[in-house]
Amino acid sequence: MHIQHWAPPLACYLWPLASMARRRGKRIVVTVHNPHPHEQAGTFKRIEDRLLRSADVLLAHGARGVQSLRDRLGADAPAVCQVAHGMHVRTEPVVATDADYARLGLDVHRRNVLLFGNLRGYKGLDVLLEAWKSASEQLAGTRLIIAGRFWSGKRHLLSRLSARLLGMSEHAERLQTLLLEARSSGNVMLWEGFHSDADLDALIRVSSFAVFPYLRFSGQSGAACRAAEQGRPVLVSHVGGLPELAIDNSWVCIPGDSQMLADKLVEKVMQTSESRGCDQRQLDMVRCFDWARVADDHGAIYRELL
């Protein structure tokens, strides 16, 4: 039985499910997408620990994720293996079309830098906005697009309860205030809400690169993988498995260092405007994350358990 596990609250039903399967003689594999919770977890984390300890094998994305699980669970932890976050890596980098700009209502002559995904406190959005503001003169011809939704708990009762328990509503309110101030500058655009795959892919195509300045993290970002697999360079912070996606160390920042991030933003906007060579280098960097190889890695682990 192979369980995909994202967040501590899910352990409330996944742990009993795994226990039931084990009583029936099944072997248990758990892919742990986030070896350490992003937000406060409390009781959920203790239940999650029981789920993780019930497994025969735990899978983590990246070497740091493997070590994080071993440190968290101690000497009696189950076996922990590294399996990359899979990607559909393109043969060639994607290219923006006039239809993409028309679909998004964007100026074809203006450069864009993109951050997308769920907008949560640990993702460093506040650091990015501070960096963008400090480099505003050098980035005058470039727009920062922030696309995603806040986990504020305003959608329905269950989401409100989850947001309160995990401490996400306070983060959402603070980020919304910061964004309101940043948008007044005219070169920061917030595209809030859930977006279709077609819209997200169009956003990736019209962007020079994507930025993921996470403050704390122990996995690999699905959003960063989505940009990288299409040949859009990713500017990331040195946390979790993010550096493994970067073209080289020049695309990696110290988490929380807004001045370093500002300098990198200016450098990479200039670099990508002069040449599209970085797009191909990004694809070449992540070919080892292709789903075919990830499937082979899973198959080898399954055979060991039989």
Side-chain angles (χ1 to χ4, degrees):
M1 180 179 181
H2 192 157
I3 294 172
Q4 299 289 331
H5 179 60
W6 284 274
L10 301 180
C12 293
Y13 78 89
L14 290 176
W15 173 49
L17 185 64
S19 299
M20 187 184 306
R22 180 170 285 284
R23 286 196 296 271
R24 286 163 171 74
K26 308 300 181 183
R27 309 301 295 274
I28 307 298
V29 178
V30 179
T31 294
V32 188
H33 291 272
N34 300 303
H36 274 286
H38 299 318
E39 286 89 11
Q40 63 190 36
T43 301
F44 291 133
K45 186 173 183 293
R46 290 191 288 273
I47 299 173
E48 183 181 62
D49 283 346
R50 295 191 177 191
L51 167 65
L52 302 184
R53 292 183 187 282
S54 73
D56 294 286
V57 178
L58 300 175
L59 306 184
H61 301 317
R64 291 181 182 84
V66 169
Q67 190 58 51
S68 181
L69 282 173
R70 288 173 177 162
D71 292 343
R72 172 179 173 178
L73 298 176
D76 59 343
V80 185
C81 299
Q82 178 178 339
V83 176
H85 191 299
M87 300 185 197
H88 296 289
V89 183
R90 305 297 196 275
T91 304
E92 296 180 351
V94 295
V95 178
T97 65
D98 289 343
D100 290 327
Y101 288 96
R103 178 189 187 98
L104 301 170
L106 298 176
D107 181 357
V108 69
H109 300 295
R110 195 170 186 183
R111 294 188 298 272
N112 301 297
V113 173
L114 175 65
L115 179 147
F116 68 100
N118 289 312
L119 305 178
R120 298 164 69 179
Y122 72 91
K123 293 193 174 182
L125 180 55
D126 51 348
V127 178
L128 174 58
L129 292 175
E130 183 179 348
W132 196 267
K133 181 179 179 180
S134 70
S136 57
E137 290 187 9
Q138 298 100 309
L139 298 171
T142 305
R143 178 192 290 109
L144 172 62
I145 300 176
I146 298 168
R149 60 181 175 182
F150 296 99
W151 282 28
S152 58
K154 295 181 178 179
R155 298 173 62 206
H156 46 69
L157 179 61
L158 183 59
S159 69
R160 285 197 297 273
L161 178 61
S162 298
R164 182 174 295 275
L165 288 173
L166 298 177
M168 294 184 293
S169 56
E170 294 85 355
H171 289 152
E173 292 172 4
R174 182 173 62 86
L175 293 176
Q176 286 172 317
T177 300
L178 290 173
L179 274 166
L180 185 62
E181 297 172 358
R183 290 166 67 189
S184 64
S185 69
N187 67 343
V188 176
M189 173 184 173
L190 172 63
W191 201 11
E192 187 179 355
F194 177 83
H195 306 298
S196 67
D197 287 341
D199 284 342
L200 285 177
D201 288 340
L203 278 169
I204 291 170
R205 287 192 292 269
V206 303
S207 299
S208 298
F209 60 91
V211 57
F212 301 94
Y214 291 12
L215 299 175
R216 58 187 185 280
F217 196 55
S218 53
Q220 275 176 344
S221 163
C225 288
R226 184 172 190 145
E229 72 181 9
Q230 298 190 47
R232 280 301 173 270
V234 291
L235 177 59
V236 301
S237 52
H238 200 281
V239 293
L242 292 180
E244 298 168 17
L245 305 177
I247 293 173
D248 55 37
N249 286 338
S250 74
W251 288 87
V252 181
C253 295
I254 297 172
D257 189 332
S258 61
Q259 186 55 58
M260 182 180 189
L261 180 57
D263 294 341
K264 292 285 187 183
L265 287 167
V266 173
E267 173 191 334
K268 298 309 179 184
V269 164
M270 293 180 61
Q271 184 178 350
T272 54
S273 65
E274 294 170 356
S275 169
R276 301 304 305 190
C278 291
D279 293 356
Q280 187 60 54
R281 291 178 62 201
Q282 181 64 76
L283 281 183
D284 294 341
M285 185 65 198
V286 297
R287 292 206 185 280
C288 60
F289 293 82
D290 188 77
W291 273 115
R293 177 168 177 174
V294 172
D296 289 342
D297 290 343
H298 279 97
I301 292 167
Y302 295 158
R303 286 190 290 273
E304 285 288 326
L305 290 174
L306 294 177

